[in-house]
Amino acid sequence: MIRQLVALLTGALTAAGAAAAGLDSITDPAVKACIARAMPEQSLKHSVTLRALDDAGVRSQSAGEIFWRRDVQGSQRATIRVSEPASRNGMMVLVIEREAKDPQFFLYLPDLGRARKITGKQISTDMMDTDFSYEEFSHLQTMSRSSETVRVEDQAIDGRPVYVLQTTPQDGASVYKEILTFVDQERCIPLRSQFIAPGGEVRKELVAVPEEIRQIGERFVPHQVIMYDRAKASRTELTIDNVEIDVELSEALFNPKSFGKSQ
């Protein structure tokens, strides 16, 4: 769920992440170098607010913090800690990258006082009543091993040259035929991701708000991205703040036995 936002959850990745596709599955040297420049060296921490809206107005609002870390072996772990709404305060999600396998997901619920694994069947369900699913979050964090990403023909978005990356799920469990990610060639951040259904239609689209792309040190970070669910005519606005790059983070945040107790 986290070498792209680190595009939702860098991102959304942090949907709003700093990179756009899994480095391990990209062989194009220009794209690989661009994404590597955008990524934190070791860690990332930021607050996030998600507002789910439809034609009737605000459907729900959630808030919390996202923590991301790369260990000495290069593997990634990410934790979301929810603070809003009050009924979900203390709920946490942990994602652990595994070599040659899809990531593991763990969910901590304060009422249970322990973490449990999230099954594969739950990966495509909506996450926290937003327009994001666990599968999309995983893509944004680029830790899915059951996919292949290649560079296709370059394009332009609002006059800015972009790399176009085509990700094709390989395990048959995905609800998407392919995902297209458009990466700004100068700033090395994803400007748009399109989640394409088997019939060829764009099912969902993640867009970085141009006015909210800010420079932090040598990196650019989208501070607001919007996930549009084209079929439901709804959207979720994801706003990022308090971005801290390469800071010390507690080991307890990334251990499934202790991450729920690291409040």
Side-chain angles (χ1 to χ4, degrees), residues 182-240:
F182 303 81
V183 182
D184 188 308
Q185 294 185 10
E186 178 184 359
R187 296 177 293 185
C188 300
I189 56 173
L191 300 182
R192 183 177 301 166
S193 290
Q194 295 178 333
F195 298 82
I196 300 172
E201 71 275 14
V202 177
R203 177 70 171 76
K204 294 185 181 181
E205 188 168 27
L206 184 71
V207 178
V209 177
E211 298 78 13
E212 294 298 330
I213 296 174
R214 306 174 196 171
Q215 188 169 0
I216 299 178
E218 297 180 352
R219 299 176 177 88
F220 290 88
V221 179
H223 279 61
Q224 186 176 59
V225 296
I226 302 175
M227 176 68 91
Y228 295 94
D229 188 321
R230 301 302 187 187
K232 295 181 180 178
S234 62
R235 70 187 188 276
T236 294
E237 298 175 353
L238 186 154
T239 302
I240 285 177

Side-chain angles (χ1 to χ4, degrees), residues 87 89-92 106-117 122 260-261:
S87 61
N89 181 35
M91 186 179 85
M92 300 179 73
F106 295 88
L107 174 67
Y108 174 84
L109 298 174
D111 290 347
L112 294 179
R114 60 180 176 81
R116 63 179 177 86
K117 284 187 180 180
Q122 294 170 301
K261 300 178 177 62

Side-chain angles (χ1 to χ4, degrees), residues 41-56:
E41 292 292 330
Q42 296 180 338
S43 65
L44 174 72
K45 173 185 176 182
H46 61 76
S47 58
V48 60
T49 301
L50 297 97
R51 298 173 69 242
L53 306 97
D54 53 27
D55 291 341

Side-chain angles (χ1 to χ4, degrees), residues 8-163:
L8 178 236
L9 296 166
T10 332
L13 196 283
T14 171
L23 285 172
D24 294 337
S25 62
I26 295 175
T27 58
D28 186 279
V31 178
K32 197 177 184 76
C34 187
I35 293 175
R37 289 197 305 272
M39 288 298 296
E41 292 292 330
Q42 296 180 338
S43 65
L44 174 72
K45 173 185 176 182
H46 61 76
S47 58
V48 60
T49 301
L50 297 97
R51 298 173 69 242
L53 306 97
D54 53 27
D55 291 341
V58 178
R59 190 171 75 239
S60 68
Q61 178 166 312
S62 302
E65 292 180 288
I66 292 177
F67 307 87
W68 172 87
R69 187 195 70 177
R70 191 202 315 271
D71 62 27
V72 291
Q73 287 79 32
S75 296
Q76 303 174 71
R77 295 191 178 205
T79 294
I80 306 172
R81 183 165 61 198
V82 177
S83 58
E84 186 183 333
S87 61
R88 293 180 178 177
N89 181 35
M91 186 179 85
M92 300 179 73
V93 178
L94 170 66
V95 190
I96 301 177
E97 183 182 41
R98 298 185 296 171
E99 185 176 358
K101 296 181 180 180
D102 279 346
Q104 288 182 311
F105 295 79
F106 295 88
L107 174 67
Y108 174 84
L109 298 174
D111 290 347
L112 294 179
R114 60 180 176 81
R116 63 179 177 86
K117 284 187 180 180
I118 300 172
T119 65
K121 185 176 181 180
Q122 294 170 301
I123 296 301
S124 63
T125 61
D126 289 344
M127 182 177 175
M128 302 177 195
D129 194 30
T130 71
D131 293 295
F132 288 93
S133 71
Y134 282 102
E135 178 181 358
E136 292 143 10
F137 182 73
S138 180
H139 171 72
L140 292 173
Q141 303 306 338
T142 69
M143 297 193 330
S144 176
R145 298 304 186 190
S146 300
S147 61
E148 178 184 5
T149 299
V150 297
R151 178 183 176 182
V152 295
E153 185 176 355
D154 294 353
Q155 296 184 28
I157 293 179
D158 296 330
R160 301 191 67 88
V162 296
Y163 299 117

Side-chain angles (χ1 to χ4, degrees), residues 1-12:
M1 295 185 176
I2 288 180
R3 231 185 292 257
Q4 290 168 325
L5 203 195
V6 172
L8 178 236
L9 296 166
T10 332

Side-chain angles (χ1 to χ4, degrees), residues 43-45 67-69 247-254:
S43 65
L44 174 72
K45 173 185 176 182
F67 307 87
W68 172 87
R69 187 195 70 177
V247 294
E248 289 293 328
L249 296 176
S250 170
E251 170 66 27
L253 282 167
F254 306 101

